[in-house]
Amino acid sequence: MKPDPRYLLGKPVRDRILSEVQSMTGAAGRIGKLVSISIGDIPEVAVYVRNQARAAALAGLPFDQEFWGGEVGQDECKARIQAMNDDPDVLGIILQRPVPDHINVRSLQSAIHPLKDVEGMNPASIGNIVYNDVAMAPCTAAAAVELIRETGLDMKGLEVVMVGHSEIVGKPAAMMLMAEGATVTVCHHLTRSVAMHSRRADVIVVAVGKAHLIGPDMVKPGAAVIDIGINQRIHPDGSTDIVGDVDTEAVKEIAGWVTPVPGGVGPVTVAMLMRNAMRAYQRQQAAGWRT
Amino acid sequence: MKPDPRYLLGKPVRDRILSEVQSMTGAAGRIGKLVSISIGDIPEVAVYVRNQARAAALAGLPFDQEFWGGEVGQDECKARIQAMNDDPDVLGIILQRPVPDHINVRSLQSAIHPLKDVEGMNPASIGNIVYNDVAMAPCTAAAAVELIRETGLDMKGLEVVMVGHSEIVGKPAAMMLMAEGATVTVCHHLTRSVAMHSRRADVIVVAVGKAHLIGPDMVKPGAAVIDIGINQRIHPDGSTDIVGDVDTEAVKEIAGWVTPVPGGVGPVTVAMLMRNAMRAYQRQQAAGWRT
């Protein structure tokens, strides 16, 4: 059976991007390795790292996993990151989140050199997005933009409504979409009527973390709906499932496109990390760090 | 005659802020000086510098004017700025714009250390705004926010429409307003209908550079209108005047508040520069750069 064409699936987009990256890594010189840093023993981090390692293998990028004990201090973390900044064998640094409570994650993100910041989390990287330099953007925001592009809708003049204004998704995605010519409205928990905005949107991007927040009554017929939410539901019988911020099955009957959860934004996000790694390589070359 | 209360005037706001800064500079230790850098001989720059020097005097901040010849090279500019970064006598660095064509202004702005970036123009400073750290924001954006605050409107849930998405005004102002709880839409030259957005706005902020772009038909009764435009008009008889992006006289009959041009955002902008200088001092102290 053919999948419903209204599902905007992440896997084909991911595969295309990973193979683009792979064709570049094959042609590149000594490219260095991606280093993933996990601090402490946090179960959900293991899933992310596994997905990233798999994508890196497909992209032809060496991927090293470092596990730092939960007792490691802030200064020691910073010193180790700074050593990686100076190490030509390190192409990019991935700081897995969450981290233990005694670690200041923002400060560590700032310590990662912008040319090695493949997650696009350093304030300087985020600032570059404001200046329309979107080479290394936060991966989830970049994935949302990539999926909108996939619809074939012309970004120029597109009315986009972002629901959620986080630093790592909502705000950078808004900036990136403005750079492409979209008119962007950013809604959040203080917005008086999200529906007033979402109903007039050509594209809705949701990143809030509330299961089924966006129902069909909030969507304009034919709109594209990009769902960044990942919510675990526990049912009365004890079983669990993962759903997004969008009531996908109901919205699918109204929307032109809707990204499923799982299988939509997630696979593209990890591909964006690999694309950032490739861009980091190009920028390090341009800066004379690599030959 | 009492001025029309619908004019939201910049001068009282400027005076209040400069006197706040002045009471802090009076109590501070060795505070260092602001250094203004003008490159080449560009007439409009002289006006900015004069206004800044006057505001600095009122705020009790030492203000040095450096004039670099139009023939100075990029590397030499960068080296001089880096020397100022290291010079404890320098509190903050102001790079006047425009600069001659052979100078890359973005690169020089990036060379200014974030703790001395009193104009808030370094990408790292802009990135900090995305992370809700608005201590040293671009001055014009900060002035727009300050004038909205002056109306007494509650920022939480306020529907703000920005017209113009420049890096130094539209985008940072949008971020700052989101941080305050406003729902922000950013319109620009590719927006299909600016009026559709502006007519539903509680607050309109315009920074486009088109004389009288915003007329009364684009404004909701009772809205606040913040006009950042500065446009010189040349009349048939050869006389000139300065007007904003808003048809102020006509809009005044509809709006709850409108900032005049001149006399609205301009005076507040220069006061924001002095407030940023004070915050730079506090941050340099906190970082152990000053005792």
Side-chain angles (χ1 to χ4, degrees), chain A residues 187-263:
Chain A
C187 299
H188 45 73
H189 64 287
L190 293 168
T191 298
R192 300 207 175 167
S193 168
V194 174
M196 182 196 85
H197 289 288
S198 66
R199 273 197 208 112
R200 62 166 180 77
D202 302 323
V203 175
I204 304 171
V205 182
V206 206
V208 171
K210 275 198 182 146
H212 290 186
L213 175 72
I214 304 293
D217 56 322
M218 297 175 76
V219 177
K220 181 176 79 173
V225 182
I226 311 294
D227 187 355
I228 297 178
I230 298 177
N231 310 286
Q232 189 179 48
R233 291 189 307 186
I234 305 174
H235 298 284
D237 66 357
S239 66
T240 63
D241 62 357
I242 299 285
V243 295
D245 291 350
V246 176
D247 184 352
T248 316
E249 288 314 300
V251 164
K252 176 169 70 73
E253 302 304 319
I254 302 292
W257 299 266
V258 60
T259 61
V261 175

Side-chain angles (χ1 to χ4, degrees), chain B residues 15-30:
Chain B
D15 291 347
R16 190 193 72 227
I17 290 163
L18 289 181
S19 97
E20 280 168 18
V21 174
Q22 201 252 334
S23 71
M24 287 192 277
T25 53
R30 247 183 91 228

Side-chain angles (χ1 to χ4, degrees), chain B residues 54-122:
Chain B
R54 197 180 298 138
L58 289 169
L61 286 162
F63 190 88
D64 248 30
Q65 302 183 25
E66 296 215 1
F67 298 94
W68 297 353
E71 72 299 337
V72 66
Q74 179 81 14
D75 290 346
E76 174 63 20
C77 289
K78 206 164 192 169
R80 291 184 192 177
I81 286 172
Q82 274 154 355
M84 291 182 191
N85 285 338
D86 293 336
D87 181 351
D89 274 349
V90 175
L91 169 63
I93 302 166
I94 303 165
L95 180 64
Q96 307 294 347
R97 289 169 308 278
V99 295
D101 285 343
H102 69 282
I103 297 290
N104 179 338
V105 69
R106 271 282 300 289
S107 163
L108 291 188
Q109 287 167 337
S110 299
I112 298 173
H113 192 286
L115 292 184
K116 296 199 174 184
D117 180 27
V118 289
E119 293 185 287
M121 299 296 282
N122 185 320

Side-chain angles (χ1 to χ4, degrees), chain A residues 37-65:
Chain A
I37 302 167
S38 307
I39 307 176
D41 189 21
I42 292 166
E44 60 259 53
V45 166
V47 182
Y48 305 151
V49 177
R50 200 165 54 232
N51 282 331
Q52 291 168 0
R54 198 179 298 139
L58 289 169
L61 287 163
F63 189 90
D64 247 32
Q65 303 184 26

Side-chain angles (χ1 to χ4, degrees), chain A residues 106-127:
Chain A
R106 270 282 300 289
S107 163
L108 292 189
Q109 287 166 337
S110 299
I112 297 173
H113 192 285
L115 292 185
K116 296 198 174 183
D117 180 27
V118 288
E119 293 185 287
M121 300 297 283
N122 185 322
S125 309
I126 304 260

